[in-house]
Amino acid sequence: MKVLTWNVNRAGESRAELWQMVQREGADIVLLQEVTGIPGWIRHQYQCHVISPRYFEGENAPFFSAVLSKGLIDATPYLESELGWVNKIYSERHGWIVGCEITLPCGERFRVVAVHSPAFPIPREQWADVDVSTVKLTNNPELWFTEILWALLRGAGISNDTNWIVGGDFNSSVKLDEPKDTGNREFLGRLNALGLTDCLSHHHGCAVPTFQTPAKRIEHQLDYCHVNSPMLERLTKARVPSHKDVFHRTPRLSDHLPILCEFE
C-alpha cells in the first residue's frame, strides 16, 4: 500500500510531466496541495475529493486541496475539538485541513487528514476575545493553522484501533527554530505525543528537506506524512525523488518534492 503527498505549486492539467510522475508512483492514496486542475486520465484512475481553501478575508483560494483514492472516499466531517472557537475557524476556513475516511478495495479503512497549513498566521481578530493558552505555541506570538490541526486531532483521539494518515504541506520546519525557538519542534512534538510519527524523518533518522526556496536553497522539510503506531509498524520505505527529477527541470515540476511512503 502506498501513500503520496505533494504540494504541486498550482499545477493544472497541462503540467503533464508532474501527472505522469503521480501515475508512475501508483499510490493508493494521494494528497495534493495547491492544485488547479486534475487531468481526466488521472480522475479516471482515482476517486477525487477536491475543495478550495477559504481565506480569512472570505474569498476562496485560486487552488484546491485534493484527496485522490483508489478506493471509496467518505468526506463526512469527523474532526472536532472540545474548543468551540477552534471548530469555528476549521469550518469557516475550510479546505486547509480536509478530513475524510477511505476504504480501499481490499476492505482496509483509513482516517485521512490532508493538510495545507498556510504560511500566514491566523489574524488576531479571530482569537482576540478567547483563551488560546491551551492551543497556542509557547514561544510564538502568533497562532497558526498547525495549532488548529493539533487541537482537532487531539479532540478526535488518535487510537490504535484505526489507521491514521495525516499528511501534506505543514509549512513547519525544525530549522526555522534556529537560532531562535519559534515553536516548530514544539508543534511536531505535540503530534508525536498524540501518537503520530512522520514517516520520512523516521525512516531516514533526520529531517529530509522537501522545499526549494526562490533562492534555490533546499534546507527545510515542510512536507510530512504522519501515521499512528499500527501504520508505522508496517512502514517499509519513505522517500522523495531526486532533486533533478523535480527541481532541475525547465520549468521545474514544483517547488516541493513529493513524499512517497510504502507500507506492508
Side-chain angles (χ1 to χ4, degrees):
M1 195 278 263
K2 297 182 180 180
V3 177
L4 184 147
T5 181
W6 197 358
N7 182 321
V8 295
N9 192 23
R10 307 201 183 194
E13 297 182 28
S14 63
R15 205 175 299 175
E17 289 182 330
L18 182 145
W19 297 111
Q20 289 164 4
M21 180 176 286
V22 171
Q23 183 185 47
R24 283 196 305 273
E25 295 293 0
D28 301 276
I29 298 172
V30 179
L31 312 179
L32 300 176
Q33 304 86 51
E34 283 195 37
V35 60
T36 59
I38 302 173
W41 52 276
I42 291 288
R43 287 182 175 271
H44 182 71
Q45 300 172 39
Y46 290 95
Q47 284 206 6
C48 301
H49 176 51
V50 179
I51 184 168
S52 178
R54 179 166 291 176
Y55 290 126
F56 282 98
E57 292 77 9
E59 74 274 16
N60 286 344
F63 50 78
F64 301 92
S65 299
V67 178
L68 281 57
S69 169
K70 290 186 176 178
L72 299 175
I73 300 176
D74 180 356
T76 305
Y78 61 82
L79 292 172
E80 186 174 9
S81 169
E82 72 277 12
L83 301 170
W85 65 271
V86 168
N87 295 327
K88 185 173 185 291
I89 290 176
Y90 167 56
S91 62
E92 291 183 355
R93 307 306 160 197
H94 56 67
W96 301 106
I97 301 169
V98 180
C100 59
E101 292 192 319
I102 289 177
T103 305
L104 292 180
C106 64
E108 193 168 20
R109 300 182 66 186
F110 303 85
R111 281 200 160 183
V112 175
V113 182
V115 180
H116 182 190
S117 181
F120 50 81
I122 298 170
R124 287 178 177 262
E125 59 267 23
Q126 297 287 322
W127 50 276
D129 299 326
V130 296
D131 180 7
V132 300
S133 60
T134 59
V135 174
K136 188 173 172 293
L137 295 168
T138 305
N139 293 319
N140 197 302
E142 304 292 348
L143 187 69
W144 304 83
F145 254 89
T146 46
E147 287 80 83
I148 301 301
L149 170 67
W150 172 73
L152 291 167
L153 293 172
R154 181 180 62 176
I158 308 295
S159 75
N160 290 337
D161 299 329
T162 306
N163 297 314
W164 281 84
I165 301 169
V166 182
D169 177 4
F170 287 52
N171 266 309
S172 181
S173 164
V174 294
K175 282 188 171 291
L176 294 174
D177 284 348
E178 301 170 1
K180 181 181 178 181
D181 179 9
T182 56
N184 293 273
R185 286 186 175 86
E186 181 183 2
F187 163 66
L188 294 172
R190 287 178 171 187
L191 294 189
N192 295 158
L194 291 179
L196 294 168
T197 302
D198 171 50
C199 294
L200 188 63
S201 57
H202 173 81
H203 187 72
H204 292 270
C206 61
V208 177
T210 60
F211 175 67
Q212 185 182 56
T213 68
K216 307 301 183 184
R217 292 193 299 270
I218 306 168
E219 55 189 7
H220 294 291
Q221 181 179 344
L222 301 184
D223 307 271
Y224 302 84
C225 181
H226 281 82
V227 298
N228 61 339
S229 294
M231 291 292 293
L232 189 65
E233 291 171 0
R234 296 167 52 189
L235 180 69
T236 59
K237 186 181 294 186
R239 59 182 172 84
V240 294
S242 68
H243 294 175
K244 68 180 180 61
D245 288 341
V246 177
F247 296 149
H248 299 171
R249 294 174 178 265
T250 305
R252 65 183 178 182
L253 297 189
S254 175
D255 54 354
H256 290 251
L257 296 172
I259 297 172
L260 185 77
C261 300
E262 302 182 27
F263 303 88
E264 292 179 345

